[in-house]
Amino acid sequence: MSAPHKIHPQFRAEALRIGGEKVVRERVIDVFNPYTNELVGTVPKATLEDVRRAYGIARQYRSKLTRFERANILNRAAALLRERTAEAANLITLESGLCKKDAVYEIGRVADVLNFAAAEALRDDGQAFSCDLTPHGKKRRVITQRDPLLGAICAITPFNHPMNQVAHKVAPSIATNNRMVLKPSEKVPLSAFYLADTLYEAGLPPEMLQVVTGDPREIADELLTNENVDLITFTGGVQIGKYIAAKAGYRRIVLELGGNDPLIVMEDADLDKASDLAVQGSYKNSGQRCTAVKRMLVQRDVAARFTELVVEKTRAWKYGDPNDGGVDMGTVIDEEAARLFESRVNEAVAQGARLLTGNRRDGALYSPTVLDRVDPAMTVVREETFGPVSPIITFGDIDEAIGISNGTAFGLSSGVCTNRLDYITRFASELQVGTVNVWEVPGYRIELTPFGGIKDSGLGYKEGVQEAMKSFTNQKTFTLPWGL
C-alpha cells in the first residue's frame, strides 16, 4: 500500500453549491498541491440527480435584478477580492502550483473582469432603426433589446487559470441576468468555490450561480444534454471541445480551445525587446496559457543573436517553490504534464533539435527550456505543448514565416516583432488567427475585449466580457408607429 498523503494545514473540504444549499457527498475528489503533493482539499462527486436538480432550479428561476443591482453585486465582489488578494492568491497557488506572482496577478484580472462586467451591465446595448428609408418604407421604428436565455448556461472551465477562467464565464452571465451551472476543473475546483462564495456575499442570488464538481465520465453527458440547457460555454482541449460540439445538439456552444501561438521576429526587430517578450510569453503562468508563446519564428539573419538573448534570459528566470515570493515560475499542473513536456523535448532532440538550456524535471516542477534547430514537423511545435518550452524555428522571408505560422491546426493568436508597415499589414491580413499583436506577446488583451480563435482553436465566436454578454442573450426586436 502507498503511504497516505500529508494533509495541508489549510485543507478545505468543499460542498456543492445547489440552490443556496451546501451539498456534501460521501464520494469525493482529492485535490493535491503539485509541488508538495499534500492534500489541500476535497470536493464532492456530484450525482446525476445533483446535476438535474441544479439545472431544474436554474431553469425555473427568473432574476428581477435591475442593471444597477447587477452592477453593484459585481463591483462589490471585485472590491472584496481586491481586499483579500493574499488569501485568494494563496488558494490558487495551493491547488495549481502557480507561483505567488502569477496568482496575485490573476486575482487582479478576476477583479477586472467583474468591474468590466458591471460597467457593461449599466450600458443599454439596444438599437433603434427608422423604417422610412425607402420608397416603400413606413413611419415606424424597430427597436432591439437583449433578454436572458430561457434556459440555463452550462459552463465548463479548465485548470490553467483557476479563478479567472471561471470569472470570464460567470461575470457576463450575472451581467445579463442569466442562470449558470458551473463545472470547474476537478484539478483546481477550490478557487471556483471561493469566487462563488464571494459573489453570494456580495448579494448574488444563489440560483444565478450553482457549482457542481464530479467525475466527467459520470456527469459530463448530463451537463451537456440536459433539457434545461440553452448554451454551453467551454474552455479547454480540442478533443473535449469537439466531443461537446458533437453532443450539444440544438444548443448554442462557445468553444475556446487550444493554441499554438507564434512570436514572429523579423530582421528589423529590436532583439532585446523581442527576446523579453519571448521569455515572458513562454514562461508566465508556467507556460500554461492557450495564448503562451509556443513557437518562436525568427528570421535567419538575426536568429543567432536572438537565441543567445533568449537563453541568457531563460537562465535568469527563477523557478521553484511556488510559495516563494521571489520565484518567477512554480510548477506545472501535475507530474504527468511535466513528463509529457520532457518526452517531447527529448523526442525533438533525437530528431535533430538542439537543447540549449532546461529540460530538467522534479515531479511537477519543470524548468524553462530552450530548443533551437527545430523543424515545424516536430511534435513539440506541431502539437500544442502546454508548458514552459521555447522552441526556435528559423525562416528566410515573410512568405515562409506566414506559411510556417499557418501550418498547424490551431489559429488562436500571434505576436509580431517588426517596425515595417508592409510586414505588419501582411501579418494582419494573412495570419490565420483570431488576434495579431504587434510588439506584444500573443496573449495580450484586456478582459473586456473580444478574444477567441479559428480552426482547432474555436469556431470563431469570441469571449471577453462584451462578446460573452452578446452570446449569453437572445436579441428581440419590436416595432411601433413613429411620427405623424
Side-chain angles (χ1 to χ4, degrees), residues 67 70 117 119-129 142-148 172 175-178 465-477:
R67 290 175 180 270
R70 284 173 259 158
E120 289 297 300
L122 295 175
R123 189 172 68 86
D124 189 337
D125 56 1
Q127 294 176 281
F129 301 83
V142 175
I143 298 172
T144 71
Q145 68 182 42
R146 289 189 175 272
D147 297 336
T176 51
N177 250 347
N178 275 288
V465 168
Q466 200 171 79
E467 290 299 312
M469 288 175 66
K470 293 177 184 177
S471 297
F472 291 179
T473 51
N474 291 322
Q475 190 172 58
K476 180 186 290 180
T477 65

Side-chain angles (χ1 to χ4, degrees), residues 73-318:
I73 290 168
L74 290 161
N75 281 329
R76 197 175 301 129
L80 289 171
L81 271 181
R82 292 189 198 277
E83 290 170 9
R84 301 166 184 172
T85 293
E87 178 183 72
N90 180 63
L91 185 57
I92 288 176
T93 294
L94 269 182
E95 65 176 347
S96 72
L98 294 174
C99 72
K100 279 288 166 51
K101 289 179 183 179
D102 288 336
V104 168
Y105 178 67
E106 177 160 345
I107 297 304
R109 290 186 64 188
V110 173
D112 286 349
V113 174
L114 297 171
N115 287 144
F116 279 129
E120 289 297 300
L122 295 175
R123 189 172 68 86
D124 189 337
D125 56 1
Q127 294 176 281
F129 301 83
S130 297
C131 299
D132 58 346
L133 305 179
T134 69
H136 54 270
K138 294 184 177 181
K139 291 183 177 179
R140 296 186 66 81
R141 181 154 290 194
V142 175
I143 298 172
T144 71
Q145 68 182 42
R146 289 189 175 272
D147 297 336
L149 303 180
L150 297 176
I153 296 172
C154 166
I156 303 173
T157 56
F159 67 80
N160 58 321
H161 291 288
M163 199 178 295
N164 196 38
Q165 293 282 11
V166 173
H168 266 285
K169 313 292 188 190
V170 171
S173 177
I174 296 168
T176 51
N177 250 347
N178 275 288
R179 296 87 59 223
M180 175 173 282
V181 175
L182 167 71
K183 205 291 286 182
S185 167
E186 58 273 17
K187 295 182 179 181
V188 291
L190 306 178
S191 297
F193 285 115
Y194 187 96
L195 179 60
D197 288 346
T198 303
L199 286 159
Y200 301 148
E201 183 181 346
L204 181 70
E207 297 88 351
M208 291 180 70
L209 173 62
Q210 300 174 85
V211 186
V212 297
T213 48
D215 186 337
R217 294 169 296 183
E218 297 176 7
I219 64 172
D221 285 358
E222 186 66 32
L223 284 166
L224 303 175
T225 63
N226 186 279
E227 61 185 3
N228 293 313
V229 178
D230 272 11
L231 181 146
I232 302 163
T233 174
F234 169 78
T235 300
V238 175
Q239 184 178 358
I240 297 173
K242 290 186 175 181
Y243 178 84
I244 290 171
K247 280 296 229 183
Y250 192 61
R251 293 174 179 82
R252 289 186 226 177
I253 52 174
V254 181
L255 304 175
E256 201 285 279
L257 308 180
N260 198 355
D261 300 344
L263 183 74
I264 303 173
V265 182
M266 300 304 291
E267 68 275 5
D268 68 307
D270 176 333
L271 298 183
D272 188 53
K273 184 177 177 182
S275 57
D276 277 346
L277 293 174
V279 169
Q280 293 164 17
S282 289
Y283 309 139
K284 282 190 71 65
N285 221 67
S286 299
Q288 297 170 134
R289 296 185 296 176
C290 53
T291 55
V293 173
K294 308 283 176 49
R295 299 175 290 159
M296 299 176 185
L297 278 52
V298 188
Q299 202 280 331
R300 193 169 294 120
D301 294 342
V302 297
R305 179 57 184 152
F306 174 83
T307 301
E308 288 175 5
L309 289 168
V310 168
V311 170
E312 175 187 324
K313 292 172 183 181
T314 296
R315 287 175 174 159
W317 199 266
K318 298 177 184 175

Side-chain angles (χ1 to χ4, degrees), residues 256-470:
E256 201 285 279
L257 308 180
N260 198 355
D261 300 344
L263 183 74
I264 303 173
V265 182
M266 300 304 291
E267 68 275 5
D268 68 307
D270 176 333
L271 298 183
D272 188 53
K273 184 177 177 182
S275 57
D276 277 346
L277 293 174
V279 169
Q280 293 164 17
S282 289
Y283 309 139
K284 282 190 71 65
N285 221 67
S286 299
Q288 297 170 134
R289 296 185 296 176
C290 53
T291 55
V293 173
K294 308 283 176 49
R295 299 175 290 159
M296 299 176 185
L297 278 52
V298 188
Q299 202 280 331
R300 193 169 294 120
D301 294 342
V302 297
R305 179 57 184 152
F306 174 83
T307 301
E308 288 175 5
L309 289 168
V310 168
V311 170
E312 175 187 324
K313 292 172 183 181
T314 296
R315 287 175 174 159
W317 199 266
K318 298 177 184 175
Y319 77 104
D321 183 352
N323 284 302
D324 181 346
V327 305
D328 302 307
M329 194 181 89
T331 71
V332 296
I333 190 61
D334 53 30
E335 184 173 350
E336 181 182 2
R339 286 184 183 277
L340 175 64
F341 309 146
E342 183 181 40
S343 68
R344 284 191 178 176
V345 169
N346 288 338
E347 178 189 72
V349 170
Q351 293 172 348
R354 181 172 60 167
L355 175 65
L356 299 176
T357 189
N359 199 33
R360 295 185 297 276
R361 185 186 61 78
D362 181 6
L365 195 64
Y366 184 77
S367 61
T369 297
V370 183
L371 291 167
D372 72 350
R373 300 178 185 171
V374 175
D375 187 282
M378 293 175 179
T379 307
V380 72
V381 287
R382 189 183 71 252
E383 302 293 332
E384 180 182 28
T385 299
F386 205 67
V389 179
S390 298
I392 297 173
I393 302 169
T394 59
F395 63 84
D397 58 19
I398 188 171
D399 292 323
E400 188 178 1
I402 291 170
I404 294 170
S405 177
N406 292 343
T408 77
F410 297 92
L412 184 56
S413 194
S414 61
V416 173
C417 298
T418 182
N419 295 315
R420 286 182 50 169
L421 186 59
D422 57 337
Y423 285 169
I424 292 169
T425 54
R426 282 200 63 188
F427 285 130
S429 63
E430 296 180 39
L431 290 180
Q432 297 169 356
V433 292
T435 300
V436 178
N437 285 326
V438 179
W439 279 116
E440 194 42 276
V441 295
Y444 180 79
R445 59 183 172 125
I446 62 172
E447 314 301 333
L448 178 66
T449 53
F451 171 78
I454 57 175
K455 299 164 69 174
D456 273 4
S457 293
L459 297 174
Y461 298 109
K462 297 288 188 177
E463 293 195 311
V465 168
Q466 200 171 79
E467 290 299 312
M469 288 175 66
K470 293 177 184 177

